[in-house]
Amino acid sequence: MAKGTSTPWPYTLIRLLFRFTLKVFYGTIVVSNTHHIPETGKPCIVCANHSNSLTDALLLVTSVPSNRRNMLRLTAKSTQFGKKTFTSWLIERAGTVPIHRRKDFDGPVDNTQAMTELMKALEAGDAVMMFPEGMSRFHPTIAPLKTGVARLASDVLSQHRDDPDFELHILNCSITYMHRQHWRSDVLVTWHPPMVLRPKDNPELLKPAEPETIRAVTRQIYEQISSGTFDSPSWHLVQLAKLAARMYAPLGTTMSLGDHVKITRTFLEAFKDAHEDNSDDNQPVHPDVVKLTRLQSDLKVYQDRLINYGIKDDRVRHPLSRHDILRRMMIRLFWSSLLLSISIPGLFFWLPVMLVTFYAVHEFKKSGPIFDTFDEIAQYKLVYGLISGICVWIGGVILTLPVAFFTFFLIPAMMWMTLRWMEDCVASTRAFLALFRLLRVGKRTLNEMRSLREGIHRQIMELAISLGLPSDPEEFFSQAGSQEKGRVMGVWQSKAGYFSIRRRRKRDWNETLRLYDKVDYPDDDS
């Protein structure tokens, strides 16, 4: 077996820097099934969905344990190379292979050299990363996959047609962002069992391989990737699926991010099937499709009313008396004020970072339409946040040279604790505002909303059971899995987890570091 290329120091530095930066930008990064990753020395093509530009590659690089793979050989569009920018320096020093895209050039493109580089890496036992969609895009659906990965696999297998023990792994990964460009949102990275190809077992892939064989491998890749993330024809269906999942497993249900994504995806797939059946005018409409269509319509009405009143489903489900609302408002106001006051010193360090990042993103958005810029917003926030954060750290150490030994550690520690306190402060303020809006809604309106919710909830539970989901999600997920899967081992551990230095213990995976809940999405024609 090949030994694989040793890890170059720029790659190690990049992995270290961005592992920290990603943990600052995203609230929770959950990586599942790393045991599926083949070890260094086994030729491997890593494939993933591509919705968040360079951030996708950085997530994969930092999600692969260094004890399993030395490095991932990245690929990126050729227009990213040769520029006097930090991003360009970053991808070049990481050993990234430039790929020429047709949309970036007027005439035909030639990627022969790129394919040769990737084949050399595979021959050495490395893992190469490719995004079969061919481009990053801010859309709810996975784009039709290009056949480049399957053709590369065919070329490699053909070179080893006389080696019966040769194996090529195609390792597929699903990346799911709750809100890809928002600070302190959450990310799920799911690795799937690798597709293991051998010349003796897959002679159909040896040259000259039939086009249908290449397309069949590409379909397999698509099916694995789409099975672990949201793949919808419209943002509208994603929004309804998330609301259905939230009503099925209400606020406070102790479940992992992976379970939350799985439930949301289950509802989404059901809504997609109904959407596709409705769009076929030549087929009679099945009664189940009629039910699903009615459920989607009711969910849309309920979602619009929640947004209009600025309240959460949980407050409709469990109404509070006026006395309880006022008492909770006082507690939230006191807690958010306390957290804000102790965060003020650290906010002086964060202010330059926020200003630089805001300005960079604001200027970048002017460079093109929403569909061509939104997939790179997280990348800009990460890169400019990293640069400005390092400058603040170095500047603070220089200004405190007499005690630089202490401030070298104190400044990043203070910035991290400030971030954690501000997460809790914003969450408390958000809860205070939601309670205030609840007071304004009035009892009569809440009763109407509760009546509407009860009817929708019955439909959701009937659908959930028919889809094979547990009939009592709160009880099921409180018992299922280990502590990492969401089980709370006791009252003390539950309360202490809220104050964890490591990360905020979320009750709602929809949270971001904003004063309002992110429940809306772009128009489907954007």
Side-chain angles (χ1 to χ4, degrees):
M1 185 176 73
K3 296 182 179 179
T5 305
S6 58
T7 312
W9 73 264
Y11 184 93
T12 303
L13 176 63
I14 289 167
R15 183 166 54 192
L16 181 64
L17 279 176
F18 279 98
R19 181 172 288 144
F20 171 74
T21 308
L22 285 165
K23 286 184 177 179
V24 170
F25 186 78
Y26 291 111
T28 307
I29 300 175
V30 178
V31 183
S32 298
N33 302 331
T34 55
H35 62 279
H36 289 316
I37 301 173
E39 296 178 349
T40 297
K42 295 180 179 179
C44 179
I45 304 175
V46 176
C47 303
N49 53 307
H50 200 18
S51 64
N52 211 3
S53 193
L54 182 61
T55 309
D56 293 332
L58 294 173
L59 262 175
L60 294 180
V61 165
T62 56
S63 297
V64 175
S66 56
N67 62 347
R68 294 200 69 86
R69 301 290 324 189
N70 289 345
M71 62 179 292
L72 295 182
R73 288 295 300 271
L74 313 180
T75 57
K77 57 186 179 183
S78 59
T79 53
Q80 293 269 31
F81 291 74
K83 295 182 178 180
K84 295 180 179 179
T85 63
F86 179 73
T87 302
S88 184
W89 176 89
L90 184 72
I91 62 176
E92 289 175 14
R93 292 299 181 276
T96 308
V97 177
I99 301 291
H100 293 80
R101 305 185 306 173
R102 290 181 183 177
K103 64 171 289 185
D104 297 326
F105 300 91
D106 295 332
V109 296
D110 183 8
N111 280 309
T112 304
Q113 184 177 351
M115 291 300 107
T116 302
E117 287 291 320
L118 294 177
M119 288 187 67
K120 285 181 180 178
L122 291 170
E123 290 288 339
D126 290 342
V128 301
M129 184 193 305
M130 299 184 72
F131 295 105
E133 289 176 88
M135 61 183 292
S136 175
R137 52 203 296 274
F138 190 83
H139 287 275
T141 183
I142 297 174
L145 303 191
K146 310 293 185 185
T147 58
V149 172
R151 287 187 282 109
L152 176 61
S154 174
D155 290 343
V156 174
L157 287 179
S158 297
Q159 281 198 351
H160 292 267
R161 63 172 71 235
D162 297 325
D163 183 356
D165 298 323
F166 181 79
E167 292 183 346
L168 175 65
H169 297 74
I170 298 181
L171 179 65
N172 298 314
C173 180
S174 304
I175 307 175
T176 307
Y177 298 93
M178 292 297 101
H179 302 288
R180 70 193 83 180
Q181 77 275 27
H182 292 310
W183 208 15
R184 304 305 288 171
S185 181
D186 305 299
V187 190
L188 175 67
V189 180
T190 306
W191 297 97
H192 300 286
M195 298 164 53
V196 183
L197 306 176
R198 303 179 183 89
K200 62 179 180 181
D201 297 332
N202 305 96
E204 71 281 0
L205 281 172
L206 301 180
K207 288 183 176 180
E210 294 292 331
E212 181 52 39
T213 302
I214 298 297
R215 286 194 290 268
V217 173
T218 305
R219 278 195 299 272
Q220 274 187 276
I221 295 171
Y222 167 79
E223 287 166 6
Q224 269 204 335
I225 292 174
S226 64
S227 70
T229 189
F230 305 142
D231 182 21
S232 169
S234 70
W235 291 112
H236 171 69
L237 291 184
V238 174
Q239 184 186 44
L240 296 184
K242 285 193 172 185
L243 176 59
R246 204 153 49 242
M247 294 179 69
Y248 166 73
L251 189 68
T253 303
T254 51
M255 62 166 57
S256 69
L257 179 58
D259 289 329
H260 173 72
V261 169
K262 189 181 298 182
I263 288 171
T264 305
R265 187 183 176 279
T266 301
F267 284 113
L268 177 59
E269 291 301 307
F271 292 161
K272 280 170 58 179
D273 290 342
H275 177 79
E276 290 170 1
D277 288 344
N278 272 333
S279 62
D280 190 350
D281 297 331
N282 298 322
Q283 295 292 332
V285 179
H286 194 277
D288 289 343
V289 175
V290 175
K291 285 184 179 181
L292 279 169
T293 303
R294 184 170 63 247
L295 173 58
Q296 291 179 52
S297 177
D298 292 344
L299 280 168
K300 179 69 168 67
V301 171
Y302 185 58
Q303 177 77 85
D304 289 346
R305 294 192 71 179
L306 288 174
I307 294 173
N308 183 50
Y309 296 132
I311 59 177
K312 287 187 175 184
D313 169 70
D314 188 60
R315 292 299 170 225
V316 178
R317 173 174 170 256
H318 287 313
L320 298 172
S321 66
R322 189 177 185 86
H323 176 267
D324 277 341
I325 292 174
L326 291 171
R327 180 179 63 82
R328 293 187 183 207
M329 284 178 66
M330 293 299 294
I331 294 172
R332 300 295 189 279
L333 183 62
F334 169 77
W335 184 232
S336 58
S337 300
L338 176 63
L339 288 169
L340 179 61
S341 64
I342 63 176
S343 299
I344 289 175
L347 287 175
F348 283 107
F349 293 104
W350 277 111
L351 185 60
V353 178
M354 293 176 182
L355 290 176
V356 168
T357 305
F358 175 82
Y359 178 77
V361 172
H362 178 72
E363 290 300 305
F364 173 68
K365 285 182 179 179
K366 295 179 182 178
S367 65
I370 182 174
F371 61 81
D372 202 32
T373 57
F374 262 45
D375 64 312
E376 295 190 42
I377 288 179
Q379 167 190 322
Y380 268 71
K381 289 181 177 179
L382 282 168
V383 171
Y384 282 91
L386 173 62
I387 296 172
S388 55
I390 290 175
C391 290
V392 168
W393 183 18
I394 294 174
V397 171
I398 292 173
L399 291 174
T400 57
L401 276 178
V403 288
F405 176 79
F406 298 101
T407 55
F408 182 84
F409 301 101
L410 182 62
I411 290 174
M414 182 181 291
M415 291 179 73
W416 174 255
M417 287 311 302
T418 299
L419 176 61
R420 278 292 297 109
W421 291 330
M422 284 305 299
E423 267 194 294
D424 295 333
C425 175
V426 169
S428 293
T429 305
R430 188 169 54 236
F432 172 83
L433 294 173
L435 289 166
F436 175 72
R437 289 189 291 264
L438 194 62
L439 277 179
R440 298 175 58 189
V441 169
K443 197 170 185 179
R444 180 178 175 182
T445 302
L446 277 177
N447 286 335
E448 292 175 359
M449 292 281 287
R450 195 173 307 117
S451 176
L452 175 61
R453 186 193 188 279
E454 287 172 357
I456 297 173
H457 186 258
R458 280 194 297 271
Q459 296 179 66
I460 288 174
M461 293 308 298
E462 288 177 10
L463 175 60
I465 293 170
S466 72
L467 295 173
L469 295 175
S471 59
D472 188 348
E474 292 178 273
E475 176 66 20
F476 176 82
F477 288 110
S478 68
Q479 302 297 326
S482 62
Q483 181 181 355
E484 290 73 24
K485 283 287 186 183
R487 179 167 52 185
V488 178
M489 305 302 289
V491 176
W492 166 250
Q493 189 172 11
S494 173
K495 301 300 181 185
Y498 182 85
F499 301 97
S500 169
I501 294 176
R502 189 178 174 190
R503 62 171 178 255
R504 173 174 168 76
R505 179 181 62 81
K506 294 188 176 182
R507 299 175 69 208
D508 184 0
W509 290 110
N510 197 50
E511 277 189 22
T512 63
L513 192 59
R514 286 172 174 251
L515 289 174
Y516 58 89
D517 290 319
K518 181 67 181 173
V519 294
D520 58 325
Y521 291 87
D523 294 332
D524 288 322
D525 58 355
S526 294

